């Protein structure tokens, strides 16, 4: 019984997500079609820099080259205590995906307007993971429409909460 409980605790502990970086602009600029979680091939100084919580996904994108997925233009700053073994801040990094996932993404990329963007960079179970998304670019009017819908939703929520508040005060 105690072993089962210990296993459950360690499994839950391994599933914790320690967020490092998030690309909020991607959700604004793209319609997200599908998301994938994948590992990263990193050097030691990159991992140490990520553990300090320093990274930027803003200009990042994924390219599939020779049946391998590569993450480009993600900024992981040099490790401050690193020596000559330090890494380049914007080097391309290999993504760890299953062959079937890579083939599916490669087929979808053939469609016009589709791209793969990183959404979130995090640690789970001591390993660095990145959540990537197959996305289609939004037009300018789509972006305005999304902002308008969000604003309308906020206003309606405020009006409903104010009405509930008045109703509670009246009774």
């Amino acid at each position: 019984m105690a072993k089962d409980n210990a296993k459950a605790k360690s499994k839950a502990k391994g599933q914790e997500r320690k967020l490092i970086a998030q690309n909020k602009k991607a959700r604004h600029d793209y319609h997200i079609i599908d998301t994938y979680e994948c590992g990263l091939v990193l050097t030691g100084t990159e991992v140490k820099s990520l553990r300090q919580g320093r990274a930027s996904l803003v200009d990042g994108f994924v390219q599939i080259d020779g049946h391998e997925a590569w993450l480009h233009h993600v900024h992981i700053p040099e490790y401050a205590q690193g020596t000559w073994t330090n890494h380049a801040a914007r080097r391309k990094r290999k993504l760890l995906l299953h062959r079937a996932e890579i083939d599916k993404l490669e087929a979808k990329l053939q469609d016009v307007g589709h791209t793969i963007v990183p959404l979130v960079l995090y640690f789970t179970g001591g390993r660095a993971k990145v959540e990537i998304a197959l996305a289609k670019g939004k037009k300018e009017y789509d972006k305005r429409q999304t902002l308008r819908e969000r604003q309308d939703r906020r206003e309606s929520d405020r009006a409903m909460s104010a009405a509930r508040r008045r109703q509670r005060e009246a009774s």
Side-chain angles (χ1 to χ4, degrees):
M1 187 71 138
K3 284 184 181 179
D4 293 336
N5 198 9
K7 278 184 183 178
K9 282 184 181 178
S10 67
K11 196 172 193 179
K13 186 179 180 184
Q15 296 300 323
E16 281 181 24
R17 262 185 162 190
K18 182 185 175 226
L19 187 68
I20 301 166
Q22 197 170 14
N23 189 356
K24 293 180 182 179
K25 191 175 179 185
R27 294 199 185 270
H28 176 74
D29 291 341
Y30 300 98
H31 291 289
I32 305 300
I33 298 169
D34 202 5
T35 60
Y36 298 88
E37 178 185 69
C38 50
L40 285 162
V41 176
L42 299 171
T43 64
T45 55
E46 286 175 321
V47 175
K48 288 180 180 188
S49 185
L50 286 177
R51 290 211 185 276
Q52 292 177 340
R54 298 167 36 199
S56 174
L57 299 173
V58 174
D59 296 331
F61 64 94
V62 176
Q63 240 180 3
I64 297 179
D65 186 33
H67 299 293
E68 292 180 338
W70 295 90
L71 184 63
H72 292 268
H73 294 287
V74 169
H75 186 264
I76 299 175
E78 289 187 353
Y79 183 56
Q81 285 80 36
T83 58
W84 57 272
T85 60
N86 238 336
H87 63 278
R90 288 199 182 267
R91 74 176 187 90
K92 70 179 190 175
R93 296 164 179 92
K94 188 174 180 180
L95 295 177
L96 303 174
L97 286 163
H98 291 283
R99 168 71 58 211
E101 292 174 330
I102 292 173
D103 292 341
K104 189 188 300 183
L105 285 171
E106 196 169 17
K108 293 282 188 176
L109 277 179
Q110 302 306 318
D111 296 343
V112 176
H114 285 88
T115 186
I116 305 171
V117 292
L119 296 177
V120 182
L121 185 62
Y122 56 92
F123 279 107
T124 181
R127 301 189 186 278
K129 302 280 185 178
V130 64
E131 184 176 300
I132 61 173
L134 178 66
K136 186 171 174 81
K138 283 186 183 178
K139 304 280 189 232
E140 197 62 40
Y141 59 84
D142 288 336
K143 294 177 191 177
R144 285 194 298 266
Q145 173 105 18
T146 305
L147 289 173
R148 195 175 307 117
E149 287 172 359
R150 192 180 314 148
Q151 186 178 4
D152 291 345
R153 198 173 323 116
R154 274 194 208 126
E155 288 175 5
S156 67
D157 289 345
R158 280 189 197 127
M160 288 174 59
S161 66
R164 279 192 224 116
R165 209 174 308 118
R166 283 193 299 269
Q167 187 178 21
R168 276 189 297 225
E169 290 172 1
S171 57

